[in-house]
Amino acid sequence: MAIKDWYKLTFQIESDAEEIIIWKLNELGIFSFSFEYFIKTENKKEVNIWLPIDEWDESSRSDFEKIINKLLNINDSKDQFFCWSIIKEEDWLTSWKKYWAPEFVGNNFLILPCWINLNEKYKDKQIIKIDPGAAFGTGSHPSTYLCLEKMENILFSDKKVLDIGSGSGILSIAARLLGAKEVYAVDNDYLAINSTNSNFQLNFGNLNNLNTYLGSFNEVFFKYQLKKFDFVLCNILAEVIKEMIPNIYKCLRNNGKVVFSGILNSQKDEIIKILIQNNLKLLDVSSKKDWACISAQKASNPI
């Protein structure tokens, strides 16, 4: 495999701009990024974006800066807003590891970066080993926390589960740890599918009971006739979720349940309205920081 060097772009944003940045990066097909929280200034975050050097010339980088400026309503002449640096492939693959540490989620989950040895005192936890790469996190985002906390209280034993937007595969792994019989993972990024497969193998030593599909959920739903799921897990952006809800309803079995995360508190009422319009009964809403997690159920006899 050819060695690839990277541009690293760094800039600061207000915390409430995180969701719009994620949306725009996904729209542009950029998936290698991270958000760093400033402890002393909780309302500020540092954005780090990695772009392959051979795909981003000076003109492309300038155009990208203009897109971000427009998105954040920043004056083009503002000095030192964007900081560009060059990262060698070997540095890119290792330097970010210093930011990750074992993380506890809920009462039972421990997310363990695969290069860290497990402390004996945590062996009673549900261990999720993750090798995230720079494109996918270890589950630290509030929306992932909310989803995992919700999953702890669900009986997955012998159930059929669909994970939409699988990313690193963290929710697929959690579902399998909790007893799911079959896990189906969908993502529109081949790097995510590779990551899901790799991390599943890391945790279970095989890919038994895991089915992965590359493409958008709506495309995959029609192509493979996905149906009769007991649970659907969907941790992606609200704007994307809205378009999926009708087909999520169709792929659930009667009384099947869905957990949505990746939704800002300001967006939850609109999502709930669409759920009700599609005969999905609201079960619960929880929140963490600015994010909401919504669970709903397909009624056996919709009105």
Side-chain angles (χ1 to χ4, degrees), residues 279-291:
N279 295 311
L280 286 163
K281 177 185 176 183
L282 180 65
L283 296 178
D284 182 66
V285 179
S286 56
S287 62
K288 185 179 181 69
K289 296 185 178 179
D290 296 325
W291 299 86

Side-chain angles (χ1 to χ4, degrees), residues 98-118:
K98 65 179 179 288
Y99 295 111
W100 302 113
E103 297 188 60
F104 295 97
V105 179
N107 296 317
N108 297 303
F109 284 121
L110 174 62
I111 303 171
L112 184 71
C114 66
W115 57 88
I116 296 177
N117 293 325
L118 178 66

Side-chain angles (χ1 to χ4, degrees), residues 64-100:
F64 184 57
E65 287 185 3
K66 292 175 183 177
I67 290 171
I68 299 300
N69 280 332
K70 183 177 180 180
L71 199 66
L72 300 177
N73 295 315
I74 293 170
N75 190 323
D76 285 350
S77 64
K78 184 171 182 179
D79 294 332
Q80 302 299 318
F81 182 73
F82 296 106
C83 177
W84 291 90
S85 58
I86 295 177
I87 306 296
K88 295 293 183 181
E89 173 78 350
E90 58 269 21
D91 296 330
W92 183 76
L93 289 171
T94 59
S95 63
W96 51 267
K97 289 185 177 181
K98 65 179 179 288
Y99 295 111
W100 302 113

Side-chain angles (χ1 to χ4, degrees), residues 36-168:
E36 299 297 332
Y37 294 77
F38 294 111
I39 297 175
K40 294 182 179 180
T41 313
E42 292 185 356
N43 64 329
K44 291 276 190 180
K45 292 180 183 176
E46 181 179 85
V47 184
N48 297 298
I49 301 171
W50 290 269
L51 303 168
I53 281 181
D54 57 3
E55 297 175 20
W56 288 80
D57 59 20
E58 184 176 354
S59 176
S60 298
R61 299 197 307 276
S62 178
D63 289 343
F64 184 57
E65 287 185 3
K66 292 175 183 177
I67 290 171
I68 299 300
N69 280 332
K70 183 177 180 180
L71 199 66
L72 300 177
N73 295 315
I74 293 170
N75 190 323
D76 285 350
S77 64
K78 184 171 182 179
D79 294 332
Q80 302 299 318
F81 182 73
F82 296 106
C83 177
W84 291 90
S85 58
I86 295 177
I87 306 296
K88 295 293 183 181
E89 173 78 350
E90 58 269 21
D91 296 330
W92 183 76
L93 289 171
T94 59
S95 63
W96 51 267
K97 289 185 177 181
K98 65 179 179 288
Y99 295 111
W100 302 113
E103 297 188 60
F104 295 97
V105 179
N107 296 317
N108 297 303
F109 284 121
L110 174 62
I111 303 171
L112 184 71
C114 66
W115 57 88
I116 296 177
N117 293 325
L118 178 66
N119 191 307
E120 287 288 329
K121 65 182 179 181
Y122 300 132
K123 291 222 169 175
D124 60 333
K125 296 288 184 180
Q126 292 275 21
I127 308 299
I128 301 176
K129 297 178 184 177
I130 294 291
D131 185 0
F136 306 102
T138 56
S140 60
H141 193 278
S143 65
T144 308
Y145 265 77
L146 285 167
C147 222
L148 289 170
E149 287 173 342
K150 185 75 65 180
M151 291 174 70
E152 281 192 319
N153 299 311
I154 295 175
L155 297 176
F156 282 96
S157 182
D158 294 323
K159 302 299 184 183
K160 183 179 178 182
V161 178
L162 174 63
D163 179 7
I164 302 174
S166 60
S168 66

